[in-house]
Amino acid sequence: MKILLIAITSVAMFSSCKSVDVGSGSFHPVSIQKDLTSMELQDIRSNVKRQIEFRITNQPRDVQLISNDWWKIEGYYNAGEVISAVNDDFWMKVENDHTYKLGSQSTVSEIGICHYDDEKGSLLLLPNDESLQPKIWRVQLSGDQFVLFGTQEYGINNGMQIKFILLGRNPLAN
């Protein structure tokens, strides 16, 4: 009975894996959005911007732990659905000057400001595009990989997990 249950669970998990569409209309997993009113979005963006500015001023450490290289998404999980990234399609780059870039293949899809607090293990991302929602992630680092865990704060990325591994190259270089 135990073996049958394990087999059924494995088949269910395997069949729920999907490839990420990187064609038109695709989204970067870190850029997940929630339905918000314009006012709610403005309030959240203002709050996160104040938090980032405060942290940069009062915790001016760089973000070397995650800014050493380009990172690619190995896979992610969102609300019970396991979705695995394909090849090197989705990537992230965090800079020591508190900026970040998200993209797919050789295209940048999001640029913004960020702050990584190594004591709290949290990463705040605020896109420059004012129509996009900021994100607050809990970060778990482990050598040449890290995982972003969505937080309950603002409820935007709650329940989401994204695993990054070193990409080893700049996807924007031709």
Side-chain angles (χ1 to χ4, degrees):
M1 186 65 166
K2 246 185 196 179
I3 294 173
L4 179 61
L5 183 58
I6 291 170
I8 291 170
T9 304
S10 298
V11 169
M13 286 178 63
F14 179 73
S15 64
S16 70
C17 289
K18 297 180 182 176
S19 295
V20 174
D21 174 21
V22 293
S24 63
S26 66
F27 72 97
H28 194 290
V30 177
S31 293
I32 188 168
Q33 301 292 301
K34 177 183 175 185
D35 289 332
L36 296 173
T37 67
S38 176
M39 186 64 84
E40 289 171 325
L41 177 59
Q42 289 175 356
D43 288 346
I44 291 171
R45 286 186 58 84
S46 300
N47 187 12
V48 171
K49 184 174 183 178
R50 280 192 304 273
Q51 287 181 52
I52 289 174
E53 289 170 347
F54 177 83
R55 289 182 181 190
I56 289 172
T57 303
N58 296 295
Q59 302 168 339
R61 299 180 300 268
D62 60 26
V63 291
Q64 283 186 356
L65 293 174
I66 58 175
S67 67
N68 291 333
D69 209 333
W70 295 81
W71 298 90
K72 71 176 181 174
I73 293 179
E74 183 175 69
Y76 67 99
Y77 172 89
N78 186 17
E81 184 175 11
V82 177
I83 306 169
S84 57
V86 179
N87 301 322
D88 298 341
D89 290 337
F90 292 116
W91 53 264
M92 178 179 192
K93 177 67 171 142
V94 177
E95 302 288 353
N96 279 329
D97 66 357
H98 300 285
T99 61
Y100 73 95
K101 295 178 200 161
L102 302 176
S104 174
Q105 299 174 2
S106 62
T107 304
V108 176
S109 60
E110 184 175 312
I111 297 173
I113 60 171
C114 64
H115 186 271
Y116 174 66
D117 184 333
D118 57 342
E119 290 176 8
K120 292 182 180 178
S122 67
L123 176 66
L124 279 67
L125 302 175
L126 180 63
N128 290 346
D129 181 339
E130 293 189 12
S131 70
L132 297 177
Q133 299 164 4
K135 310 294 179 306
I136 300 174
W137 298 93
R138 191 172 47 84
V139 181
Q140 183 174 2
L141 295 161
S142 178
D144 61 353
Q145 60 187 352
F146 69 91
V147 178
L148 295 180
F149 294 91
T151 65
Q152 291 183 1
E153 199 163 353
Y154 308 125
I156 296 170
N157 56 358
N158 186 22
M160 188 165 198
Q161 299 175 20
I162 305 174
K163 181 180 180 184
F164 287 86
I165 59 175
L166 282 175
L167 180 57
R169 65 178 176 78
N170 178 345
L172 301 176
N174 291 329

